[in-house]
Amino acid sequence: MSVVSLLGVKVLNNPANFSDSYNFEITFECLEQLQKDLEWKLTYVGSATSSEHDQELDSLLVGPIPVGVNKFLFEADPPDLKRIPASEIIGVTVILLTCSYDDREFVRVGYYVNNEYDSDELNAEPPAKPLINRVKRNILAEKPRVTRFAIKWYVLLLFSTTFYMLIGFFANRDSEDSAPAEYPPEQPEADLVNDDGTAYGAEEVELEKALIEEERALAAVEGDEDEEMGGMQDTTHPAAKAEDEESDAGSEDLEAASSGSEDEEEEEEGGEAEDEDMEMGDGDAEVAKGDGLQHTGQGGEVMVH
């Protein structure tokens, strides 16, 4: 992407005499701030067969250039007749309008130029020696040939910055003042600083004291609450108290009744158990008598004779 874009070129004096100056109105756009000026040149091609006869009519430096669209007038002198072959003065030739940044050309505009006499008779039979005062030039401004070239706009700037940075680096490296010390510098104030271990222990002691004080404060608050609870008076309504007492008496009667019923059931179960034991005893005696065995009592051993 080109930082500078050519928007238009307008030829002001056309047609004109061969010895008249060239005037152009040039419009271009600059997209970024440039560090250097733009150089505009106008070149006259003296011969179609050799570049030795090309001559630079004029050059112009434009800058500093603000960002945005810019316009200026470019005026150049006519070509030197001594540098043009006599056979090449009359006829068609070319002029080149170029623009460069930091000696790098990025745009070129070419125009055909027709040089001829101002009368048909001279054009039909041109004299051996050209009559310059009768020669007219006509620039074909409607058909320019524009050529653009891609260049690196900031190569030199980056190179210059790097170059100066390297110079400063080597200069500082070789200086004795910037050289590192062979031994660490003395630090007498380091002995005045408290040891990290001492400071750490002091912090722990302070933290422990703070915890103890906090526990004491909590204990005091809890003791105050207990005293307040103990000192509270019974503010229950008398009717509510009577109802509570009746409900407590009713619950005691129910418990007594339930315990009495349980005792009666246990006595009945005990009587039945005794009757069963008596019956079982009689049966055992009969069996022992019939088999010839003697019973020595409950829980005793049985002897066989």
Side-chain angles (χ1 to χ4, degrees), residues 74-91:
F74 181 28
E75 183 178 354
D77 297 330
D80 186 4
L81 294 175
K82 297 178 181 179
R83 299 178 58 181
I84 303 174
S87 60
E88 299 286 348
I89 294 177
I90 304 300

Side-chain angles (χ1 to χ4, degrees), residues 48-126:
T49 59
S50 177
S51 60
E52 295 179 358
H53 303 287
D54 295 350
Q55 53 181 304
E56 183 180 313
L57 301 182
D58 204 348
S59 63
L60 178 65
L61 291 176
V62 179
I65 301 172
V67 177
V69 178
N70 300 273
K71 183 186 294 184
F72 70 97
L73 297 177
F74 181 28
E75 183 178 354
D77 297 330
D80 186 4
L81 294 175
K82 297 178 181 179
R83 299 178 58 181
I84 303 174
S87 60
E88 299 286 348
I89 294 177
I90 304 300
V92 179
T93 185
V94 174
I95 57 173
L96 300 174
L97 178 65
T98 62
C99 185
S100 303
Y101 178 76
D102 196 19
D103 295 332
R104 292 188 294 274
E105 181 181 341
F106 64 90
V107 65
R108 177 186 299 177
V109 182
Y111 294 97
Y112 288 107
V113 180
N114 184 23
N115 297 319
E116 60 182 1
Y117 290 104
D118 56 1
S119 65
D120 296 336
E121 295 176 355
L122 292 176
N123 289 326
E125 295 180 2

Side-chain angles (χ1 to χ4, degrees), residues 79-221:
D80 186 4
L81 294 175
K82 297 178 181 179
R83 299 178 58 181
I84 303 174
S87 60
E88 299 286 348
I89 294 177
I90 304 300
V92 179
T93 185
V94 174
I95 57 173
L96 300 174
L97 178 65
T98 62
C99 185
S100 303
Y101 178 76
D102 196 19
D103 295 332
R104 292 188 294 274
E105 181 181 341
F106 64 90
V107 65
R108 177 186 299 177
V109 182
Y111 294 97
Y112 288 107
V113 180
N114 184 23
N115 297 319
E116 60 182 1
Y117 290 104
D118 56 1
S119 65
D120 296 336
E121 295 176 355
L122 292 176
N123 289 326
E125 295 180 2
K129 185 180 180 179
L131 302 175
I132 301 302
N133 57 350
R134 301 289 302 274
V135 177
K136 298 288 186 180
R137 70 162 190 258
N138 185 14
I139 301 173
L140 301 180
E142 296 80 8
K143 297 180 180 180
R145 300 294 298 272
V146 181
T147 305
R148 293 179 174 84
F149 307 96
I151 65 171
K152 295 181 180 180
W153 294 85
Y154 302 108
V155 171
L156 183 60
L157 177 62
L158 295 175
F159 175 77
S160 300
T161 304
T162 306
F163 178 73
Y164 287 114
M165 288 177 63
L166 291 175
I167 290 177
F169 171 76
F170 286 110
N172 294 330
R173 187 186 66 174
D174 296 337
S175 63
E176 295 180 358
D177 296 337
S178 62
E182 295 181 359
Y183 300 98
E186 296 182 359
Q187 299 180 355
E189 66 277 2
D191 297 334
L192 302 177
V193 180
N194 294 330
D195 189 9
D196 294 340
T198 304
Y200 182 75
E203 292 179 357
E204 286 188 347
V205 171
E206 293 179 358
L207 180 60
E208 186 175 358
K209 290 181 178 179
L211 291 175
I212 293 172
E213 292 178 358
E214 186 176 358
E215 290 178 356
R216 289 177 179 176
L218 292 175
V221 172

Side-chain angles (χ1 to χ4, degrees), residues 229-250:
M229 293 296 293
M232 291 178 62
Q233 297 179 357
D234 190 3
T235 57
T236 309
H237 194 271
K241 285 185 177 181
E243 292 179 359
D244 293 339
E245 291 176 356
E246 292 178 359
S247 63
D248 292 340

